[in-house]
Amino acid sequence: GTWWHGSPASPEDSIRRAAERLARVSEYLARVHVTCSGSRDIVRGLGVPEEKIALVPMGVNTAIFAPPTDAERLAARRELAIPDGAFVVGSFQKDGVGWGAGDEPKTIKGPEVLVRVLRGLAAQLPIVALVPGPARGYVTRELAAAGVSFRTRPFAPLDAFRRYYHASDVYLTTGREEG
């Protein structure tokens, strides 16, 4: 099994229920995979025996995801129609409930925190938010209402994310329980 994130105190009911079941089902699992020490501590605290916990961090393919050259950065910004001088903020996580429009915010991912930060930045800088991915309805609706410039694409293929990263000045993860 894999435990990505969350705890018995999670704001997400489904994660609280999964935490309650984990110790019981771990007796049937050869290993419980976690991606960070925080998750390891959580599953250990839920009663998973130490010998069953496998900490294997998520990797990054640096042949695809590497810092851009100046030319790659400029090309990515032009392709995404980002104005010269804009400060570009990326956030590429699924932060709405379900796989549809995502109009209901997924609390554990902190989409309201993302919107609040982007509003504050937009009051200070000419920003463009890059918010591709599924279930971004809440975020895009709130950004539009606040007049914050953004670019989105519901289901961007993996190769598109390279361009999004290349165009970004900073990346935000506003989740409450991420690894």
Side-chain angles (χ1 to χ4, degrees):
T2 298
W3 187 262
W4 292 105
H5 57 74
S7 73
S10 174
E12 297 289 327
D13 185 53
S14 63
I15 292 176
R16 288 193 308 272
R17 287 192 316 268
E20 291 170 7
R21 289 189 313 268
L22 184 60
R24 287 192 317 271
V25 301
S26 71
E27 71 179 271
Y28 304 105
L29 301 172
R31 297 280 181 271
V32 176
H33 164 240
V34 295
T35 60
C36 67
S37 60
S39 291
R40 180 189 58 212
D41 294 344
I42 288 167
V43 300
R44 185 186 298 138
L46 292 170
V48 177
E50 185 68 37
E51 63 274 7
K52 289 193 171 194
I53 302 171
L55 172 59
V56 182
M58 290 189 284
V60 174
N61 183 339
T62 57
I64 297 172
F65 298 104
T69 64
D70 289 342
E72 289 171 327
R73 183 179 192 74
L74 184 58
R77 286 175 174 236
R78 284 199 174 130
E79 184 177 328
L80 294 166
I82 295 172
D84 291 341
F87 185 75
V88 181
V89 180
S91 182
F92 314 151
Q93 66 182 9
K94 177 187 168 303
D95 53 15
V97 172
W99 289 96
D103 290 332
E104 181 185 342
K106 189 171 184 178
T107 307
I108 195 169
K109 297 291 187 174
E112 76 287 353
V113 175
L114 176 65
V115 169
R116 187 172 60 243
V117 169
L118 292 172
R119 279 184 186 144
L121 285 172
Q124 305 292 317
L125 300 166
I127 74 160
V128 173
L130 299 180
V131 290
R136 302 307 301 264
Y138 170 82
V139 167
T140 57
R141 181 183 69 239
E142 294 296 313
L143 292 178
V148 176
S149 180
F150 65 91
R151 307 289 183 273
T152 191
R153 186 173 177 184
F155 285 94
L158 181 61
D159 65 333
F161 282 95
R162 177 182 167 126
R163 291 187 298 278
Y164 286 115
Y165 279 114
H166 282 182
S168 297
D169 290 301
V170 66
Y171 185 89
L172 294 179
T173 301
T174 55
R176 291 176 164 81
E177 296 182 352
E178 295 297 325

